[in-house]
Structure formats: C-alpha cells, structure tokens
Amino acid sequence: FKNILFSLPLSLLVIAVFSFATCKYSFKDTSPIPLEVKTFRVNYFENKARYVNPQLGPQLTEKMKQKVIGSTRLRQTNDDNAHYDISGYVSEYNVSTSGISRNNASTNRLSVSFHLIFKNSLDEKKNFETDLSNNFDFPATQSLEQAQTALFPEIIKNTVDGMFNKIFSNW
C-alpha cells in the first residue's frame, strides 16, 4: 500500500509534465527574404535545346511565377527594375537508352537541363547562374511523345522546384 501512495503522486507529476510539454518543429522551403526585397520578375524561359518541346517554355515560365507568388510575399512585376529578376532557358532535352535487356533497349531516359540566371538588383553579390538537370526514365516501348505526355507534370514540377530552391533556399 505504501508503494501505491508513493508512486501515485510521482505518476501524476510525470503525466502533468508530459501533458504540458510541447515540441514544435518547422520546415520551411524558403530562407528569410530581406524586407527590402518586394518585387520579382520571371522572364520567358526559352527552349534552346536541339529538340524543342513547344509546351515546355511557356509551362515553366507560368509555373515558376505561380510558385513564387504562392510561396513568398513578393509581388510580381514586369518592370526592368524588379528586385529579383529570374530568367533562363532549357539547354538540353534529349533521349538516351538507359537500360538493356536481351540485347534490346528496355528503358529510355529523357534528360532535361535548365540554365538558370538570377539577378538581385539590391545586392549584385547575390547574382548567379547555374545549371539544373533532371532525368526521367520511361519504358522503351513508349514513344517520346507518349513519355512526354506521362512525364510532363513531373518534368515541370521538378524543374520549377529546383529553380525555386536555388533562389530562395539555403540548401
């Protein structure tokens, strides 16, 4: 009986401590944007690859605008004096064989590369250019047109996320 009387207050104390203890975790896609940065511009992304998918440039341009608007407090502008000026072009868009089975191609790989140009009109030391590349595998039984149709949302998402992270994250 003595053990119960001793352990009861101790148990209540442990329960009370853990009931009021909280842990907060936060994962942010963006690093803090300086308060003086208020505007951004996304220039049209050209497709300079040997193979030109006519939908790629317009879709990348529009989705990048939407990503910045939806994920930051920045206001879009078309002025030349935007604080963040984002431009670039598709530099590679080609297919190669990535898997062989019984002397035949079993898997093909669509390689998409993007050259990103970022200019910060308030701090030119933050300007940069970089290349982003993604590979997308698809069955060799599919034509390029079929693969593009299936992979297009993923191509756009991965490329836009890569650009956004290069510009707005500390990764």
mmCIF file of all heavy atoms in Angstrom, residues 23-64:
data_model
loop_
_atom_site.group_PDB
_atom_site.id
_atom_site.type_symbol
_atom_site.label_atom_id
_atom_site.label_comp_id
_atom_site.label_asym_id
_atom_site.label_seq_id
_atom_site.Cartn_x
_atom_site.Cartn_y
_atom_site.Cartn_z
ATOM 1 N N CYS A 23 6.635 20.283 -28.241
ATOM 2 C CA CYS A 23 7.772 20.429 -29.148
ATOM 3 C C CYS A 23 7.229 20.981 -30.451
ATOM 4 O O CYS A 23 6.198 20.521 -30.943
ATOM 5 C CB CYS A 23 8.440 19.087 -29.422
ATOM 6 S SG CYS A 23 9.240 18.396 -27.979
ATOM 7 N N LYS A 24 7.921 21.935 -30.993
ATOM 8 C CA LYS A 24 7.495 22.500 -32.268
ATOM 9 C C LYS A 24 8.613 22.336 -33.271
ATOM 10 O O LYS A 24 9.749 22.724 -33.015
ATOM 11 C CB LYS A 24 7.143 23.979 -32.118
ATOM 12 C CG LYS A 24 5.894 24.201 -31.310
ATOM 13 C CD LYS A 24 5.487 25.636 -31.303
ATOM 14 C CE LYS A 24 4.231 25.806 -30.482
ATOM 15 N NZ LYS A 24 3.759 27.161 -30.486
ATOM 16 N N TYR A 25 8.254 21.760 -34.397
ATOM 17 C CA TYR A 25 9.189 21.616 -35.491
ATOM 18 C C TYR A 25 8.668 22.421 -36.662
ATOM 19 O O TYR A 25 7.464 22.481 -36.878
ATOM 20 C CB TYR A 25 9.329 20.147 -35.926
ATOM 21 C CG TYR A 25 10.024 19.297 -34.898
ATOM 22 C CD1 TYR A 25 9.291 18.543 -33.991
ATOM 23 C CD2 TYR A 25 11.400 19.261 -34.828
ATOM 24 C CE1 TYR A 25 9.915 17.761 -33.048
ATOM 25 C CE2 TYR A 25 12.039 18.481 -33.892
ATOM 26 C CZ TYR A 25 11.294 17.731 -32.998
ATOM 27 O OH TYR A 25 11.927 16.971 -32.074
ATOM 28 N N SER A 26 9.575 23.006 -37.395
ATOM 29 C CA SER A 26 9.156 23.788 -38.542
ATOM 30 C C SER A 26 10.095 23.502 -39.702
ATOM 31 O O SER A 26 11.310 23.534 -39.546
ATOM 32 C CB SER A 26 9.203 25.277 -38.190
ATOM 33 O OG SER A 26 8.926 26.030 -39.328
ATOM 34 N N PHE A 27 9.525 23.211 -40.836
ATOM 35 C CA PHE A 27 10.297 23.024 -42.046
ATOM 36 C C PHE A 27 9.857 24.084 -43.030
ATOM 37 O O PHE A 27 8.687 24.179 -43.364
ATOM 38 C CB PHE A 27 10.064 21.631 -42.643
ATOM 39 C CG PHE A 27 10.521 20.537 -41.738
ATOM 40 C CD1 PHE A 27 9.616 19.855 -40.938
ATOM 41 C CD2 PHE A 27 11.857 20.198 -41.660
ATOM 42 C CE1 PHE A 27 10.026 18.844 -40.096
ATOM 43 C CE2 PHE A 27 12.281 19.185 -40.821
ATOM 44 C CZ PHE A 27 11.373 18.507 -40.034
ATOM 45 N N LYS A 28 10.773 24.881 -43.461
ATOM 46 C CA LYS A 28 10.428 25.961 -44.373
ATOM 47 C C LYS A 28 11.130 25.732 -45.703
ATOM 48 O O LYS A 28 12.284 25.335 -45.746
ATOM 49 C CB LYS A 28 10.870 27.302 -43.782
ATOM 50 C CG LYS A 28 10.098 27.679 -42.517
ATOM 51 C CD LYS A 28 10.685 28.854 -41.820
ATOM 52 C CE LYS A 28 10.422 30.114 -42.581
ATOM 53 N NZ LYS A 28 10.862 31.307 -41.875
ATOM 54 N N ASP A 29 10.412 26.008 -46.778
ATOM 55 C CA ASP A 29 11.003 25.898 -48.104
ATOM 56 C C ASP A 29 11.931 27.064 -48.396
ATOM 57 O O ASP A 29 12.800 26.968 -49.226
ATOM 58 C CB ASP A 29 9.916 25.879 -49.190
ATOM 59 C CG ASP A 29 9.232 24.536 -49.290
ATOM 60 O OD1 ASP A 29 9.781 23.561 -48.757
ATOM 61 O OD2 ASP A 29 8.172 24.476 -49.910
ATOM 62 N N THR A 30 11.693 28.174 -47.733
ATOM 63 C CA THR A 30 12.459 29.361 -48.081
ATOM 64 C C THR A 30 13.228 29.888 -46.894
ATOM 65 O O THR A 30 12.832 29.731 -45.745
ATOM 66 C CB THR A 30 11.523 30.485 -48.586
ATOM 67 O OG1 THR A 30 10.626 30.828 -47.549
ATOM 68 C CG2 THR A 30 10.756 30.058 -49.809
ATOM 69 N N SER A 31 14.353 30.507 -47.195
ATOM 70 C CA SER A 31 15.073 31.236 -46.165
ATOM 71 C C SER A 31 14.440 32.620 -46.101
ATOM 72 O O SER A 31 13.740 33.031 -47.021
ATOM 73 C CB SER A 31 16.556 31.312 -46.512
ATOM 74 O OG SER A 31 16.745 31.948 -47.756
ATOM 75 N N PRO A 32 14.663 33.348 -45.022
ATOM 76 C CA PRO A 32 14.035 34.674 -44.924
ATOM 77 C C PRO A 32 14.472 35.584 -46.079
ATOM 78 O O PRO A 32 15.649 35.694 -46.385
ATOM 79 C CB PRO A 32 14.547 35.204 -43.587
ATOM 80 C CG PRO A 32 14.987 34.008 -42.820
ATOM 81 C CD PRO A 32 15.418 33.004 -43.843
ATOM 82 N N ILE A 33 13.490 36.192 -46.699
ATOM 83 C CA ILE A 33 13.760 37.141 -47.784
ATOM 84 C C ILE A 33 13.921 38.504 -47.128
ATOM 85 O O ILE A 33 13.068 38.909 -46.331
ATOM 86 C CB ILE A 33 12.594 37.157 -48.793
ATOM 87 C CG1 ILE A 33 12.421 35.765 -49.416
ATOM 88 C CG2 ILE A 33 12.829 38.201 -49.873
ATOM 89 C CD1 ILE A 33 11.155 35.610 -50.231
ATOM 90 N N PRO A 34 14.997 39.220 -47.435
ATOM 91 C CA PRO A 34 15.177 40.546 -46.819
ATOM 92 C C PRO A 34 13.946 41.423 -47.044
ATOM 93 O O PRO A 34 13.318 41.383 -48.097
ATOM 94 C CB PRO A 34 16.402 41.101 -47.552
ATOM 95 C CG PRO A 34 17.139 39.893 -48.049
ATOM 96 C CD PRO A 34 16.078 38.865 -48.348
ATOM 97 N N LEU A 35 13.613 42.219 -46.030
ATOM 98 C CA LEU A 35 12.406 43.052 -46.087
ATOM 99 C C LEU A 35 12.418 44.046 -47.238
ATOM 100 O O LEU A 35 11.366 44.404 -47.765
ATOM 101 C CB LEU A 35 12.216 43.798 -44.763
ATOM 102 C CG LEU A 35 11.833 42.918 -43.575
ATOM 103 C CD1 LEU A 35 11.779 43.737 -42.296
ATOM 104 C CD2 LEU A 35 10.500 42.233 -43.827
ATOM 105 N N GLU A 36 13.606 44.496 -47.647
ATOM 106 C CA GLU A 36 13.667 45.481 -48.728
ATOM 107 C C GLU A 36 13.345 44.866 -50.099
ATOM 108 O O GLU A 36 13.066 45.578 -51.052
ATOM 109 C CB GLU A 36 15.032 46.184 -48.753
ATOM 110 C CG GLU A 36 16.219 45.289 -49.033
ATOM 111 C CD GLU A 36 16.832 44.666 -47.775
ATOM 112 O OE1 GLU A 36 16.239 44.740 -46.693
ATOM 113 O OE2 GLU A 36 17.912 44.079 -47.921
ATOM 114 N N VAL A 37 13.374 43.543 -50.192
ATOM 115 C CA VAL A 37 13.028 42.866 -51.448
ATOM 116 C C VAL A 37 11.510 42.752 -51.505
ATOM 117 O O VAL A 37 10.886 42.132 -50.652
ATOM 118 C CB VAL A 37 13.680 41.478 -51.538
ATOM 119 C CG1 VAL A 37 13.237 40.762 -52.811
ATOM 120 C CG2 VAL A 37 15.193 41.586 -51.487
ATOM 121 N N LYS A 38 10.923 43.378 -52.528
ATOM 122 C CA LYS A 38 9.468 43.413 -52.619
ATOM 123 C C LYS A 38 8.915 42.864 -53.935
ATOM 124 O O LYS A 38 7.772 42.444 -53.990
ATOM 125 C CB LYS A 38 8.978 44.851 -52.429
ATOM 126 C CG LYS A 38 9.339 45.418 -51.055
ATOM 127 C CD LYS A 38 8.683 46.740 -50.812
ATOM 128 C CE LYS A 38 9.046 47.406 -49.523
ATOM 129 N NZ LYS A 38 9.455 46.652 -48.422
ATOM 130 N N THR A 39 9.724 42.878 -54.999
ATOM 131 C CA THR A 39 9.199 42.501 -56.309
ATOM 132 C C THR A 39 10.069 41.445 -56.986
ATOM 133 O O THR A 39 11.255 41.304 -56.691
ATOM 134 C CB THR A 39 9.105 43.724 -57.236
ATOM 135 O OG1 THR A 39 10.414 44.283 -57.392
ATOM 136 C CG2 THR A 39 8.151 44.767 -56.686
ATOM 137 N N PHE A 40 9.452 40.732 -57.915
ATOM 138 C CA PHE A 40 10.184 39.768 -58.731
ATOM 139 C C PHE A 40 9.623 39.799 -60.149
ATOM 140 O O PHE A 40 8.489 40.209 -60.380
ATOM 141 C CB PHE A 40 10.080 38.347 -58.151
ATOM 142 C CG PHE A 40 8.756 37.671 -58.442
ATOM 143 C CD1 PHE A 40 8.619 36.819 -59.531
ATOM 144 C CD2 PHE A 40 7.652 37.902 -57.639
ATOM 145 C CE1 PHE A 40 7.404 36.206 -59.803
ATOM 146 C CE2 PHE A 40 6.436 37.288 -57.899
ATOM 147 C CZ PHE A 40 6.310 36.442 -58.980
ATOM 148 N N ARG A 41 10.460 39.358 -61.057
ATOM 149 C CA ARG A 41 10.038 39.205 -62.450
ATOM 150 C C ARG A 41 10.556 37.872 -62.951
ATOM 151 O O ARG A 41 11.716 37.520 -62.724
ATOM 152 C CB ARG A 41 10.591 40.336 -63.319
ATOM 153 C CG ARG A 41 10.268 40.145 -64.804
ATOM 154 C CD ARG A 41 10.669 41.316 -65.648
ATOM 155 N NE ARG A 41 12.115 41.403 -65.764
ATOM 156 C CZ ARG A 41 12.753 42.249 -66.572
ATOM 157 N NH1 ARG A 41 12.066 43.098 -67.312
ATOM 158 N NH2 ARG A 41 14.059 42.282 -66.626
ATOM 159 N N VAL A 42 9.694 37.129 -63.612
ATOM 160 C CA VAL A 42 10.095 35.905 -64.293
ATOM 161 C C VAL A 42 10.013 36.193 -65.780
ATOM 162 O O VAL A 42 8.933 36.443 -66.312
ATOM 163 C CB VAL A 42 9.196 34.706 -63.913
ATOM 164 C CG1 VAL A 42 9.558 33.485 -64.752
ATOM 165 C CG2 VAL A 42 9.312 34.389 -62.430
ATOM 166 N N ASN A 43 11.150 36.181 -66.435
ATOM 167 C CA ASN A 43 11.200 36.373 -67.883
ATOM 168 C C ASN A 43 10.814 35.075 -68.577
ATOM 169 O O ASN A 43 10.917 33.993 -67.998
ATOM 170 C CB ASN A 43 12.617 36.790 -68.297
ATOM 171 C CG ASN A 43 13.000 38.113 -67.681
ATOM 172 O OD1 ASN A 43 12.515 39.153 -68.077
ATOM 173 N ND2 ASN A 43 13.859 38.070 -66.667
ATOM 174 N N TYR A 44 10.414 35.171 -69.814
ATOM 175 C CA TYR A 44 10.021 33.986 -70.572
ATOM 176 C C TYR A 44 11.210 33.032 -70.692
ATOM 177 O O TYR A 44 12.304 33.435 -71.077
ATOM 178 C CB TYR A 44 9.508 34.378 -71.956
ATOM 179 C CG TYR A 44 9.106 33.179 -72.769
ATOM 180 C CD1 TYR A 44 7.920 32.513 -72.501
ATOM 181 C CD2 TYR A 44 9.927 32.696 -73.777
ATOM 182 C CE1 TYR A 44 7.545 31.403 -73.225
ATOM 183 C CE2 TYR A 44 9.567 31.578 -74.516
ATOM 184 C CZ TYR A 44 8.374 30.937 -74.234
ATOM 185 O OH TYR A 44 8.020 29.837 -74.950
ATOM 186 N N PHE A 45 10.994 31.768 -70.347
ATOM 187 C CA PHE A 45 12.034 30.749 -70.436
ATOM 188 C C PHE A 45 12.027 30.148 -71.847
ATOM 189 O O PHE A 45 11.092 29.448 -72.223
ATOM 190 C CB PHE A 45 11.817 29.636 -69.405
ATOM 191 C CG PHE A 45 11.876 30.097 -67.973
ATOM 192 C CD1 PHE A 45 11.003 29.578 -67.041
ATOM 193 C CD2 PHE A 45 12.807 31.034 -67.547
ATOM 194 C CE1 PHE A 45 11.056 29.965 -65.708
ATOM 195 C CE2 PHE A 45 12.872 31.435 -66.216
ATOM 196 C CZ PHE A 45 11.992 30.898 -65.301
ATOM 197 N N GLU A 46 13.067 30.419 -72.589
ATOM 198 C CA GLU A 46 13.179 29.887 -73.951
ATOM 199 C C GLU A 46 13.615 28.429 -73.925
ATOM 200 O O GLU A 46 14.204 27.964 -72.953
ATOM 201 C CB GLU A 46 14.223 30.678 -74.745
ATOM 202 C CG GLU A 46 13.808 32.081 -75.111
ATOM 203 C CD GLU A 46 14.866 32.731 -75.987
ATOM 204 O OE1 GLU A 46 15.099 32.214 -77.102
ATOM 205 O OE2 GLU A 46 15.446 33.722 -75.532
ATOM 206 N N ASN A 47 13.364 27.744 -75.011
ATOM 207 C CA ASN A 47 13.846 26.379 -75.174
ATOM 208 C C ASN A 47 14.921 26.398 -76.246
ATOM 209 O O ASN A 47 14.620 26.517 -77.426
ATOM 210 C CB ASN A 47 12.693 25.445 -75.559
ATOM 211 C CG ASN A 47 13.088 23.991 -75.468
ATOM 212 O OD1 ASN A 47 14.265 23.645 -75.518
ATOM 213 N ND2 ASN A 47 12.104 23.126 -75.332
ATOM 214 N N LYS A 48 16.180 26.322 -75.824
ATOM 215 C CA LYS A 48 17.312 26.351 -76.743
ATOM 216 C C LYS A 48 17.907 24.967 -76.975
ATOM 217 O O LYS A 48 18.988 24.843 -77.532
ATOM 218 C CB LYS A 48 18.403 27.286 -76.203
ATOM 219 C CG LYS A 48 17.975 28.745 -76.137
ATOM 220 C CD LYS A 48 19.115 29.614 -75.679
ATOM 221 C CE LYS A 48 18.731 31.074 -75.638
ATOM 222 N NZ LYS A 48 19.871 31.921 -75.234
ATOM 223 N N ALA A 49 17.212 23.934 -76.546
ATOM 224 C CA ALA A 49 17.686 22.569 -76.748
ATOM 225 C C ALA A 49 17.548 22.192 -78.216
ATOM 226 O O ALA A 49 16.799 22.825 -78.971
ATOM 227 C CB ALA A 49 16.884 21.611 -75.878
ATOM 228 N N ARG A 50 18.267 21.150 -78.626
ATOM 229 C CA ARG A 50 18.161 20.694 -80.018
ATOM 230 C C ARG A 50 16.748 20.226 -80.338
ATOM 231 O O ARG A 50 16.209 20.523 -81.388
ATOM 232 C CB ARG A 50 19.157 19.570 -80.303
ATOM 233 C CG ARG A 50 20.566 20.093 -80.532
ATOM 234 C CD ARG A 50 21.499 18.990 -80.909
ATOM 235 N NE ARG A 50 21.945 18.381 -79.643
ATOM 236 C CZ ARG A 50 22.328 17.142 -79.501
ATOM 237 N NH1 ARG A 50 22.351 16.336 -80.530
ATOM 238 N NH2 ARG A 50 22.705 16.681 -78.334
ATOM 239 N N TYR A 51 16.144 19.487 -79.413
ATOM 240 C CA TYR A 51 14.753 19.088 -79.573
ATOM 241 C C TYR A 51 13.912 20.076 -78.783
ATOM 242 O O TYR A 51 14.134 20.273 -77.590
ATOM 243 C CB TYR A 51 14.511 17.664 -79.064
ATOM 244 C CG TYR A 51 13.069 17.245 -79.157
ATOM 245 C CD1 TYR A 51 12.560 16.709 -80.333
ATOM 246 C CD2 TYR A 51 12.206 17.421 -78.093
ATOM 247 C CE1 TYR A 51 11.223 16.348 -80.437
ATOM 248 C CE2 TYR A 51 10.864 17.061 -78.177
ATOM 249 C CZ TYR A 51 10.386 16.532 -79.352
ATOM 250 O OH TYR A 51 9.075 16.171 -79.453
ATOM 251 N N VAL A 52 12.948 20.691 -79.429
ATOM 252 C CA VAL A 52 12.130 21.699 -78.758
ATOM 253 C C VAL A 52 10.731 21.149 -78.508
ATOM 254 O O VAL A 52 9.991 20.855 -79.445
ATOM 255 C CB VAL A 52 12.053 23.000 -79.595
ATOM 256 C CG1 VAL A 52 11.099 23.991 -78.958
ATOM 257 C CG2 VAL A 52 13.436 23.605 -79.767
ATOM 258 N N ASN A 53 10.393 21.021 -77.226
ATOM 259 C CA ASN A 53 9.026 20.716 -76.832
ATOM 260 C C ASN A 53 8.339 22.079 -76.711
ATOM 261 O O ASN A 53 8.681 22.862 -75.827
ATOM 262 C CB ASN A 53 9.016 19.976 -75.494
ATOM 263 C CG ASN A 53 7.623 19.684 -75.005
ATOM 264 O OD1 ASN A 53 6.698 20.449 -75.242
ATOM 265 N ND2 ASN A 53 7.468 18.578 -74.304
ATOM 266 N N PRO A 54 7.398 22.397 -77.599
ATOM 267 C CA PRO A 54 6.822 23.740 -77.625
ATOM 268 C C PRO A 54 6.054 24.134 -76.355
ATOM 269 O O PRO A 54 5.849 25.314 -76.105
ATOM 270 C CB PRO A 54 5.890 23.718 -78.836
ATOM 271 C CG PRO A 54 5.634 22.292 -79.125
ATOM 272 C CD PRO A 54 6.811 21.522 -78.614
ATOM 273 N N GLN A 55 5.638 23.173 -75.549
ATOM 274 C CA GLN A 55 4.900 23.476 -74.322
ATOM 275 C C GLN A 55 5.821 23.767 -73.136
ATOM 276 O O GLN A 55 5.389 24.361 -72.149
ATOM 277 C CB GLN A 55 4.001 22.294 -73.954
ATOM 278 C CG GLN A 55 2.959 21.959 -74.980
ATOM 279 C CD GLN A 55 2.222 20.679 -74.604
ATOM 280 O OE1 GLN A 55 2.229 20.248 -73.470
ATOM 281 N NE2 GLN A 55 1.590 20.070 -75.596
ATOM 282 N N LEU A 56 7.071 23.350 -73.215
ATOM 283 C CA LEU A 56 7.954 23.407 -72.059
ATOM 284 C C LEU A 56 8.255 24.826 -71.593
ATOM 285 O O LEU A 56 8.103 25.139 -70.408
ATOM 286 C CB LEU A 56 9.259 22.653 -72.360
ATOM 287 C CG LEU A 56 10.162 22.355 -71.173
ATOM 288 C CD1 LEU A 56 9.426 21.583 -70.088
ATOM 289 C CD2 LEU A 56 11.382 21.564 -71.635
ATOM 290 N N GLY A 57 8.664 25.708 -72.486
ATOM 291 C CA GLY A 57 8.992 27.088 -72.113
ATOM 292 C C GLY A 57 7.827 27.823 -71.476
ATOM 293 O O GLY A 57 7.955 28.373 -70.369
ATOM 294 N N PRO A 58 6.663 27.852 -72.119
ATOM 295 C CA PRO A 58 5.520 28.552 -71.518
ATOM 296 C C PRO A 58 5.085 27.962 -70.176
ATOM 297 O O PRO A 58 4.767 28.694 -69.248
ATOM 298 C CB PRO A 58 4.403 28.407 -72.562
ATOM 299 C CG PRO A 58 5.082 28.075 -73.841
ATOM 300 C CD PRO A 58 6.359 27.388 -73.481
ATOM 301 N N GLN A 59 5.086 26.636 -70.068
ATOM 302 C CA GLN A 59 4.664 25.997 -68.813
ATOM 303 C C GLN A 59 5.644 26.280 -67.678
ATOM 304 O O GLN A 59 5.232 26.561 -66.554
ATOM 305 C CB GLN A 59 4.512 24.485 -69.006
ATOM 306 C CG GLN A 59 3.262 24.098 -69.743
ATOM 307 C CD GLN A 59 2.022 24.356 -68.907
ATOM 308 O OE1 GLN A 59 1.968 24.084 -67.721
ATOM 309 N NE2 GLN A 59 1.008 24.926 -69.537
ATOM 310 N N LEU A 60 6.940 26.194 -67.965
ATOM 311 C CA LEU A 60 7.940 26.501 -66.935
ATOM 312 C C LEU A 60 7.813 27.947 -66.467
ATOM 313 O O LEU A 60 7.877 28.231 -65.266
ATOM 314 C CB LEU A 60 9.355 26.244 -67.452
ATOM 315 C CG LEU A 60 9.796 24.792 -67.562
ATOM 316 C CD1 LEU A 60 11.153 24.695 -68.255
ATOM 317 C CD2 LEU A 60 9.850 24.132 -66.192
ATOM 318 N N THR A 61 7.639 28.855 -67.407
ATOM 319 C CA THR A 61 7.512 30.280 -67.077
ATOM 320 C C THR A 61 6.311 30.511 -66.167
ATOM 321 O O THR A 61 6.426 31.147 -65.110
ATOM 322 C CB THR A 61 7.370 31.121 -68.366
ATOM 323 O OG1 THR A 61 8.491 30.873 -69.224
ATOM 324 C CG2 THR A 61 7.284 32.599 -68.044
ATOM 325 N N GLU A 62 5.162 29.981 -66.547
ATOM 326 C CA GLU A 62 3.937 30.204 -65.780
ATOM 327 C C GLU A 62 4.004 29.537 -64.409
ATOM 328 O O GLU A 62 3.617 30.134 -63.395
ATOM 329 C CB GLU A 62 2.721 29.702 -66.564
ATOM 330 C CG GLU A 62 1.401 30.067 -65.940
ATOM 331 C CD GLU A 62 1.219 31.562 -65.703
ATOM 332 O OE1 GLU A 62 1.704 32.390 -66.503
ATOM 333 O OE2 GLU A 62 0.598 31.915 -64.678
ATOM 334 N N LYS A 63 4.491 28.307 -64.344
ATOM 335 C CA LYS A 63 4.549 27.590 -63.064
ATOM 336 C C LYS A 63 5.561 28.237 -62.113
ATOM 337 O O LYS A 63 5.357 28.232 -60.895
ATOM 338 C CB LYS A 63 4.886 26.117 -63.277
ATOM 339 C CG LYS A 63 3.801 25.342 -63.991
ATOM 340 C CD LYS A 63 2.524 25.269 -63.188
ATOM 341 C CE LYS A 63 1.505 24.412 -63.909
ATOM 342 N NZ LYS A 63 0.215 24.384 -63.275
ATOM 343 N N MET A 64 6.631 28.797 -62.653
ATOM 344 C CA MET A 64 7.594 29.480 -61.785
ATOM 345 C C MET A 64 6.964 30.732 -61.187
ATOM 346 O O MET A 64 7.131 31.009 -59.999
ATOM 347 C CB MET A 64 8.873 29.827 -62.559
ATOM 348 C CG MET A 64 9.962 30.405 -61.685
ATOM 349 S SD MET A 64 10.485 29.232 -60.418
ATOM 350 C CE MET A 64 11.691 30.209 -59.550
#
